[in-house]
């Protein structure tokens, strides 16, 4: 057997298969052909290209469930590959930058010329974030029928985005979420809901969500979050978690608090997915990248294997693509990240300028996208 690419002796951590140890990975035609154990170089098959991964942690290609990559037409967008394959991330999901009217331009700008796979949560408002950041303040801008047609015709769209905070919905309160949920239920897709400052109050938002729906910014430190003033979990948050509603990090400029995350972990509540909400204005801090966001969860005591699961297999399941991405199982696409756990101190900062000094951090070194080797920056 001659492989196109052989990644040998890496420390493979693949939560989906339970593998955690030294493995070789053989890749042909952009697919993972074989994964096998061993430190034995003598009996290795031949390959056109070989990567000695002894110093790396080898994970499924990282998946970022919440980014903004619609450049030019929104005030937020950042170049896809800058936060994608150049940072070890093989799939990004744009979270509502585009609505049905602006989606064709989004495809041209963010998707067509990118090495990174781009999926999308489509904004329930027809312009997405292209007409300003109060996209749900005018109910006539919500475009159910056209959005439904688009979702049915484009498999890159994985669900519907609704940003439910005061500055976005203005006088409309919870109403836009009714529209988004109704449509999502008709099409059997999830919604991703951004939470922030009330109105609408968080309990009203959570009460509408069902299994598989995603609450992004779940661990923000603003008033009216998942904890009451005395630090106990909001009953509606508890019930939502029990129903299978997904709590996602969605770091962003102002939406991730170490104090909130710490309190959640004390109560045994972990994020299901780690996403960045990365865009032009937070890439130089506090967000930086997905691996730095993962590092923050490590610094708060979440084990490495779980942090990797929250950034690979779990988002793949939300996207209903776990047969293709999110694992290193044989027969899946060869999307793979080679990371280094740098044993150096680093200060990491949340959205409230709280800082933790960590003793190590994750750094992306190489990205394999559909079998193609790309160097990280
Ligand atoms: Zn966002």
């Amino acid at each position: 057997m001659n492989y196109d690419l052989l990644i040998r002796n890496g420390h493979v951590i693949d939560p989906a298969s339970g593998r955690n140890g030294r493995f070789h990975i053989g890749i042909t035609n952009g697919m993972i052909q074989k994964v096998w154990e061993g430190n034995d170089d003598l009996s290795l098959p031949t390959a056109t290209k070989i990567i000695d991964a002894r110093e790396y942690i080898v994970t499924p290609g990282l998946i970022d469930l919440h980014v903004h990559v619609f450049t030019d037409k929104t005030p937020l967008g950042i170049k896809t590959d800058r936060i994608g394959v150049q940072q070890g991330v093989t799939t990004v999901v744009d979270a509502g930058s585009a609505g049905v009217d602006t989606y064709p331009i989004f495809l041209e700008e963010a998707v067509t010329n990118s090495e990174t796979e781009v999926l999308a949560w489509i904004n329930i408002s027809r312009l997405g974030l292209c007409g300003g950041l109060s996209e749900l303040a005018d109910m006539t801008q919500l475009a159910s029928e056209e959005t439904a047609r688009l979702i049915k015709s484009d498999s890159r769209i994985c669900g519907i985005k609704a940003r439910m905070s005061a500055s976005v919905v203005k006088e409309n309160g919870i109403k836009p979420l009714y529209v988004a949920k109704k449509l999502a239920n008709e099409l059997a897709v999830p919604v991703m809901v951004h939470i922030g400052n009330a109105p609408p109050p968080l309990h009203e938002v959570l009460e509408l969500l069902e299994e598989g729906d995603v609450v992004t910014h779940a661990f923000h430190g603003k008033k009216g979050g998942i904890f009451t003033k005395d630090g106990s979990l909001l009953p509606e948050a508890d019930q939502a978690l029990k129903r299978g509603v997904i709590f996602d990090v969605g770091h962003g400029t102002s939406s991730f608090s170490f104090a909130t995350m710490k309190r959640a972990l004390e109560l045994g509540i972990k994020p299901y997915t780690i996403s960045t909400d990365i865009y032009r204005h937070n890439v130089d801090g506090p967000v930086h990248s997905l691996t730095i966001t993962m590092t923050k969860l490590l610094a708060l005591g979440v084990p490495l294997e779980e942090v990797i699961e929250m950034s690979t297999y779990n988002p793949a399941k939300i996207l209903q693509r776990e047969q293709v991405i999110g694992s290193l199982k044989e027969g899946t696409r060869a999307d793979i990240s080679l990371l280094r756990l740098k044993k150096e101190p680093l200060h990491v900062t949340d959205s409230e300028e709280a800082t933790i000094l960590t003793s190590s951090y994750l750094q992306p070194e190489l990205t394999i996208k559909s079998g193609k080797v790309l160097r990280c920056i």
Side-chain angles (χ1 to χ4, degrees), residues 61-65 89-91 93 274 290 311-312 315-316 319 325-326:
L62 303 179
I63 302 170
D64 195 337
L65 202 60
V89 179
T90 48
T91 299
V93 192
I274 299 173
L290 182 54
S311 319
T312 57
L319 299 165
I325 55 174

Side-chain angles (χ1 to χ4, degrees), residues 4-5 27 29-31 333-336 368-373:
D4 293 344
L5 174 64
I27 293 159
N29 294 330
M31 306 289 281
R333 196 164 70 203
D335 286 2
I336 303 171
I368 318 294
K369 180 73 195 76
S370 304
K372 183 175 171 185
V373 182

